[in-house]
């Protein structure tokens, strides 16, 4: 198999797999119930398609994640294509993708990864940077704390970068890229992202195969939730690449999220920053959800603040007039016998 894998830092995020239904914000229960029922029906569909795919399937544009057509994926794509509940669910997801997708795709491209990994964030959280799971995973990419720190995200009293859309996307891209290099296929990388690298490696060794769909077909090869998770991502990647053909219209009318980064001092409340940007405080807080206490972390000389790109110029002009004037700092050589009171008096 050629899958030894490093031992220490790689064996992270080994909690029980998060169920694919844990985080579907903004989705009504009838659609979710219909999806669960459809996936339960697919649980016995394990083989590859024995016949050539039907014409409508063969004509679809393929995502840049490899899709090996099998009954699970084909039927789930058809569920999103024809079932009213499936269409409602896919429409809600695709509208969120239209708003957040460009930001995420740019970060994925920058690291040389397939753009359609954007559907991982869609399935994990619906692109909600404040999403939390019962297992303790946080943010758009649902990092647990240990994995987040392993991939360079800051988590402390003031900041939780798992809720920073840009920083967490960059960390998730590095993590997914590492999993792909170690495991050899995107299906296995996605499975490890859900169930944990160590748990997946044990399954590979136990059943002596590193083919995801072979493991999925075995009675106890992979957790049910993980198989559904990977299938859901791949099916939605196909749907997203063929949104017009499936009749999902109006997506081009949704304004994509464009962010600008400006540097502000540490220890500043979001309220004056929002006034300078000409926006509501809550709106600014949503874009900077990583700031846990409603202010930039004290002690930082400068902190990167995210703003709507359209408000950057106005913010810079207003903030130059509003920002607190900090006295210039200089070094003072303390004389022998001087106390802090003496220095303060000087």
């Amino acid at each position: 198999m050629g899958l030894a894998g490093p031992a220490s830092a790689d064996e992270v995020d080994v909690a029980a797999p998060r169920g694919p239904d844990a985080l579907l914000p903004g989705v009504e229960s009838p659609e979710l119930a219909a999806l669960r029922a459809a996936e339960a029906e697919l649980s016995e569909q394990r083989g590859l398609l024995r016949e050539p795919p039907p014409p409508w399937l063969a004509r679809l544009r393929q995502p840049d994640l490899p899709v090996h057509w099998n009954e699970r994926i084909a039927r789930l794509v058809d569920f999103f294509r024809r079932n009213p509940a499936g269409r409602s669910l896919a429409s809600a997801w695709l509208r969120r993708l239209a708003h957040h997708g460009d930001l995420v795709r740019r970060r994925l491209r920058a690291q040389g990864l397939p753009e359609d990994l954007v559907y991982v964030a869609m399935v994990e959280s619906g692109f909600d940077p404040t999403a939390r799971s019962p297992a303790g995973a946080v943010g758009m990419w649902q990092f647990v704390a240990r994995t987040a720190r392993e991939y360079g995200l800051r988590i402390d009293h003031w900041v939780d970068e798992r809720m920073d859309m840009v920083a967490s996307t960059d960390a998730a891209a590095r993590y997914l890229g590492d999993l792909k290099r170690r495991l050899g296929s995107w299906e296995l990388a996605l499975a490890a992202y859900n169930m944990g690298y160590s748990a997946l490696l044990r399954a590979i060794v136990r059943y002596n195969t590193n083919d995801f769909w072979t493991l999925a077909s075995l009675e106890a090869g992979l957790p049910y939730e993980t198989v559904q998770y990977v299938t859901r991502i791949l099916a939605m990647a196909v749907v997203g690449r063929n949104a017009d053909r499936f009749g999902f219209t109006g997506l081009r009318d949704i304004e994509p999220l464009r962010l600008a980064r400006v540097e502000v001092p540490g220890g500043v409340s979001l309220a004056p920053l929002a006034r300078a940007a000409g926006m509501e405080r809550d709106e600014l807080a949503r874009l900077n959800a990583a700031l846990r206490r409603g202010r930039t972390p004290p002690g930082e000389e400068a902190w990167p603040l995210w703003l709507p790109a359209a408000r950057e110029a106005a913010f810079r002009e207003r903030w130059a007039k509003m920002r607190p004037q900090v006295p210039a700092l200089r070094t003072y050589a303390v004389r022998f016998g001087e106390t802090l009171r003496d220095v303060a008096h000087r």
Side-chain angles (χ1 to χ4, degrees):
M1 293 182 293
L3 290 173
S8 57
D10 304 325
E11 298 194 6
V12 295
D13 196 8
V14 294
R18 299 183 293 276
D21 306 326
L23 289 165
L24 295 173
V27 176
E28 297 297 329
S29 57
E31 287 83 357
L32 181 54
L35 178 59
R36 283 199 298 264
E39 289 178 330
E41 183 181 341
L42 296 177
S43 63
E44 299 303 321
Q45 304 294 335
R46 294 172 176 168
L48 295 174
L49 289 168
R50 295 186 177 88
E51 300 175 357
W56 70 268
L57 203 62
R59 291 193 296 266
L60 296 181
R61 292 180 59 208
Q62 298 301 298
D64 59 3
L65 288 173
V67 176
H68 299 93
W69 286 113
N70 57 49
E71 291 287 350
R72 287 181 186 271
I73 295 178
R75 290 197 179 188
L76 195 55
V77 169
D78 200 38
F79 169 79
F80 290 128
R81 170 178 173 248
R82 295 196 301 176
N83 185 287
R87 291 187 62 79
S88 177
L89 178 59
S91 177
W93 269 341
L94 290 174
R95 293 183 70 83
R96 294 182 181 204
L97 175 67
H99 183 59
H100 293 87
D102 282 356
L103 182 149
V104 176
R105 288 187 180 106
R106 285 197 303 272
R107 312 305 295 190
L108 294 170
R109 281 199 302 269
Q111 299 200 37
L113 297 180
E115 292 183 13
D116 286 327
L117 289 173
V118 67
Y119 293 95
V120 176
M122 173 190 285
V123 169
E124 285 283 0
S125 68
F127 299 108
D128 181 0
T130 65
R132 296 177 180 271
S133 81
V138 173
M140 193 162 71
W141 295 90
Q142 289 294 280
F143 274 108
V144 296
R146 183 178 177 186
T147 311
R149 290 191 173 101
E150 290 281 349
Y151 281 85
L153 296 180
R154 174 177 171 179
I155 304 173
D156 58 29
H157 178 78
W158 295 100
V159 176
D160 188 342
E161 286 189 322
R162 293 178 293 177
M163 295 186 283
D164 183 295
M165 288 182 284
V166 174
S168 66
T169 296
D170 290 345
R174 293 192 296 272
Y175 186 24
L176 285 163
D178 284 349
L179 291 173
K180 168 62 164 56
R181 283 186 287 273
R182 292 165 193 152
L183 295 165
S185 76
W186 280 115
E187 292 100 334
L188 289 176
L190 295 174
Y193 194 90
N194 178 255
M195 65 184 285
Y197 174 77
S198 298
L200 178 63
L201 198 59
R202 286 194 293 271
I204 290 172
V205 172
R206 179 180 180 184
Y207 294 102
N208 195 31
T209 179
N210 60 358
D211 180 78
F212 172 81
W213 295 108
T214 299
L215 289 169
S217 70
L218 299 173
E219 184 68 25
L222 295 173
Y224 170 83
E225 294 86 355
T226 298
V227 176
Q228 303 295 48
Y229 172 86
V230 175
T231 304
R232 194 180 283 186
I233 289 170
L234 296 177
M236 275 305 304
V238 173
V239 173
R241 285 280 179 166
N242 297 274
D244 290 341
R245 184 169 293 179
F246 285 5
F248 295 108
T249 58
L251 300 176
R252 290 188 176 88
D253 298 330
I254 298 174
E255 185 177 355
L257 181 63
R258 299 276 188 255
L259 295 180
R261 180 176 131 160
V262 296
E263 289 194 345
V264 298
V268 178
S269 170
L270 288 179
L273 296 170
R275 286 197 298 273
M279 58 195 298
E280 295 294 326
R281 181 196 176 282
D282 289 348
E283 183 184 358
L284 183 63
R286 282 194 295 272
L287 295 180
N288 295 273
L291 297 176
R292 304 176 68 181
R293 309 294 167 184
R295 64 174 59 244
T296 57
E300 298 286 344
E301 182 176 347
W303 183 261
L305 187 78
W306 295 110
L307 295 173
R311 298 185 180 273
E312 179 185 7
F315 173 85
R316 291 186 183 279
E317 181 180 350
R318 292 173 187 160
W319 185 244
K321 302 173 183 177
M322 292 174 55
R323 68 174 294 164
Q325 296 301 311
V326 180
L329 301 180
R330 61 186 179 87
T331 302
Y332 174 77
V334 180
R335 300 175 182 178
F336 181 77
E338 278 188 316
T339 65
L340 287 177
R341 183 185 297 274
D342 297 330
V343 175
H345 179 72
R346 281 182 172 275

